Amino acid sequence: MKKFSLNDKKHETPFVSPENYFENLGERVQKRIQGEQEPVKISRKLPFGVPENYFELLPQRIMKRISSLKPKVWYKERTTWQWAMAACSLVLLVWVGNSWFAEKNTSKQIEISEKLQNIDKEELENYIAFNPHREVIFDEIEDADIISEKFIEEIQKHTETKIQDLPKEDLEDQLPEHLLQEMLEEEFDEAGIEDILQEKDSI
Amino acid sequence: MEDQEILEKFRHESSKNYAFNLLIHKYQQKVYHHIRKIVIDHDDADDLTQETFVKVWQNLDKFKEESKLFTWIYRIATNECLNFLRKKRQKFFLPIADVSKDLLRKLETSSYISGDEIAIRLQKVLLTLPEKQRLVFNMKYFDDLKYEEISEILGTSVGALKASYHHAVKKIEQAMNSKI
């Protein structure tokens, strides 16, 4: 084996520098001299990995899930008049709840009771029967142990809308967009921005 | 394959499944990563990705092509994620801050998280942002979407998005450059 000698040839270091490193070095040294802290370089790399072959198998798993979709639950296949009947039942439920609340004597319950009094029965029935969000409404009721105050407020808010003004029944209208907007509003309020959210778009 | 061609094939019963397979192949990675950034955990992201495509399948015939297909799919995916986080809060009576803590815990303990320290630190900082601000930041910074596209997805004005992103960037840079 040949003996190592520094005289043989010029040995290069194994080190490389990042692209444009020296172009920016002067500026960075100046900043450091001025006491500015060097910013951490944020990469767009995400720390998330997936199991092996995940994306190869995913389409197959989705198609399998689609082919095994359960038949829609009863209320999702109802005709308009059946919806109207369901809406009547719901309104009755709300009014029974109202009476129950009225018997209790706490200020919160009285407040809820008063709110219920202000809702026009017929309009509420129509709202639920013709509302594109009706599945969500019924899902919410199924999930909830009691009719929440928020739910009542939500209904009250929407009963102010005339039925003919309700959006067309398509996918976008089935999405509870108001949730998105409410939450965005909160966030932008925190940022001190006012009145920035647009009206519902027409995607 | 162009979206238009996929949609055309989807309209015919004989090529419906084929077209949907193409659609999944085309958008699965974008949708998965969009969801994963919101819910952090792989298993949750996997479930929500599948659910998103199921919803797309169920409603694609109603898609009116008034927006880009991918913004429409993103919108469904975003909605699925926000509902998922909302239900998590309701189920466990958690305030938003505690859901963030839960996501932070997942970032530290879940499977399929790489060891890239800076990338993990950035995600931790992102989890300190308000939920919607994090959402806007993710779509702009990582997915490189235009404000107009994010606006289509969230139904929010471009001005609001710009302001939200600007605030997020300031907060993130400040947090990333502060000593731990």
Side-chain angles (χ1 to χ4, degrees):
Chain A
M1 196 175 165
K2 199 181 170 190
K3 200 176 173 185
F4 176 84
S5 168
L6 285 171
N7 294 326
D8 284 348
K9 64 167 186 168
K10 190 181 173 188
H11 290 272
E12 290 177 354
T13 69
F15 309 124
V16 290
S17 59
E19 205 178 342
N20 301 326
Y21 174 75
F22 293 104
E23 278 85 339
N24 303 325
L25 185 60
E27 194 186 334
R28 290 171 52 226
V29 171
Q30 281 297 327
K31 280 186 177 173
R32 183 173 286 201
I33 291 167
Q34 287 159 15
E36 281 183 37
Q37 202 173 17
E38 195 164 355
V40 176
K41 195 173 179 184
I42 303 171
S43 84
R44 289 181 191 220
K45 208 169 154 189
L46 289 162
F48 307 129
V50 293
E52 210 179 333
N53 298 326
Y54 175 70
F55 289 112
E56 281 80 0
L57 300 171
L58 185 59
Q60 205 181 330
R61 292 172 59 222
I62 293 169
M63 291 311 285
K64 201 175 167 189
R65 192 151 161 175
I66 286 169
S67 65
S68 64
L69 282 176
K70 285 178 188 171
K72 288 182 175 182
V73 294
W74 64 272
Y75 57 80
K76 292 182 181 174
E77 289 176 339
R78 296 205 138 195
T79 57
T80 302
W81 75 266
Q82 285 173 315
W83 271 110
M85 293 292 287
C88 285
S89 308
L90 178 64
V91 170
L92 184 66
L93 178 68
V94 170
W95 254 259
V96 168
N98 181 29
S99 310
W100 182 81
F101 279 129
E103 282 174 20
K104 308 287 170 183
N105 208 18
T106 69
S107 60
K108 191 80 176 167
Q109 283 151 350
I110 288 170
E111 195 187 319
I112 294 169
S113 174
E114 282 169 0
K115 279 180 180 167
L116 281 165
Q117 294 289 351
N118 294 331
I119 301 175
D120 182 90
K121 253 184 179 179
E122 197 181 337
E123 241 188 308
L124 178 59
E125 284 171 8
N126 285 335
Y127 163 70
I128 296 164
F130 292 94
N131 194 298
H133 299 293
R134 59 198 176 199
E135 290 173 16
V136 177
I137 295 170
F138 274 76
D139 280 341
E140 294 270 340
I141 294 164
E142 273 190 345
D143 287 350
D145 291 334
I146 56 160
I147 299 168
S148 69
E149 186 186 359
K150 192 171 184 329
F151 172 64
I152 292 163
E153 280 174 353
E154 192 65 20
I155 290 174
Q156 199 168 21
K157 193 168 73 187
H158 284 282
T159 49
E160 289 162 11
T161 312
K162 299 280 178 212
I163 290 163
Q164 57 266 36
D165 295 335
L166 286 172
K168 283 173 285 181
E169 189 173 355
D170 57 15
L171 171 70
E172 293 73 41
D173 295 325
Q174 286 175 33
L175 298 175
E177 183 177 335
H178 60 282
L179 287 175
L180 266 177
Q181 292 203 351
E182 268 175 23
M183 290 188 280
L184 272 167
E185 271 175 21
E186 280 172 19
E187 174 202 335
F188 293 135
D189 281 349
E190 281 175 24
I193 305 158
E194 290 172 6
D195 199 23
I196 45 176
L197 294 174
Q198 280 183 333
E199 285 301 303
K200 191 176 188 307
D201 67 17
S202 59
I203 299 174
Chain B
M1 190 181 280
E2 293 296 314
D3 289 345
Q4 190 59 47
E5 214 174 323
I6 293 176
L7 290 170
E8 188 56 40
K9 287 186 189 303
F10 186 81
R11 285 186 198 109
H12 296 99
E13 206 50 50
S14 59
S15 52
K16 194 171 181 147
N17 280 15
Y18 170 66
F20 201 71
N21 247 303
L22 291 174
L23 184 143
I24 297 172
H25 274 98
K26 187 170 178 178
Y27 290 111
Q28 60 174 351
Q29 297 218 21
K30 276 187 177 180
V31 169
Y32 170 84
H33 286 297
H34 174 61
I35 291 172
R36 180 82 191 268
K37 287 195 289 283
I38 302 172
V39 300
I40 308 293
D41 181 66
H42 166 74
D43 291 333
D44 290 339
D46 176 44
D47 189 50
L48 289 166
T49 302
Q50 292 189 51
E51 203 47 44
T52 297
F53 280 108
V54 168
K55 291 238 161 75
V56 171
W57 166 270
Q58 288 171 325
N59 294 283
L60 194 58
D61 52 351
K62 295 174 202 160
F63 174 62
K64 295 190 182 78
E65 298 180 56
E66 287 165 2
S67 64
K68 289 180 193 163
L69 180 60
F70 94 89
T71 58
W72 184 75
I73 296 172
Y74 256 64
R75 187 180 172 115
I76 295 170
T78 306
N79 193 63
E80 285 296 308
C81 292
L82 294 179
N83 275 340
F84 169 81
L85 294 178
R86 182 177 59 87
K87 281 187 178 168
K88 194 185 265 265
R89 279 198 295 273
Q90 284 176 348
K91 195 171 176 183
F92 301 105
F93 303 101
L94 292 173
I96 290 173
D98 285 348
V99 173
S100 296
K101 271 185 201 164
D102 184 48
L103 296 178
L104 191 66
R105 186 184 54 77
K106 284 185 169 170
L107 188 62
E108 286 164 345
T109 58
S110 283
S111 314
Y112 309 113
I113 303 283
S114 84
D116 188 320
E117 266 183 50
I118 297 281
I120 291 177
R121 198 171 149 210
L122 174 58
Q123 290 301 317
K124 285 183 180 176
V125 171
L126 286 178
L127 285 171
T128 64
L129 298 180
E131 204 170 64
K132 302 313 148 312
Q133 203 167 45
R134 184 164 70 96
L135 188 64
V136 173
F137 180 84
N138 281 340
M139 285 196 268
K140 183 69 192 153
Y141 185 78
F142 291 111
D143 301 343
D144 215 12
L145 297 184
K146 293 174 185 153
Y147 284 117
E148 288 73 18
E149 291 168 336
I150 304 173
S151 168
E152 272 192 1
I153 294 162
L154 299 178
T156 315
S157 71
V158 169
L161 294 170
K162 282 183 180 172
S164 179
Y165 183 70
H166 173 74
H167 282 278
V169 167
K170 271 172 68 177
K171 281 191 243 177
I172 292 163
E173 284 182 343
Q174 197 176 17
M176 289 296 284
N177 288 312
S178 67
K179 287 177 185 171
I180 304 166

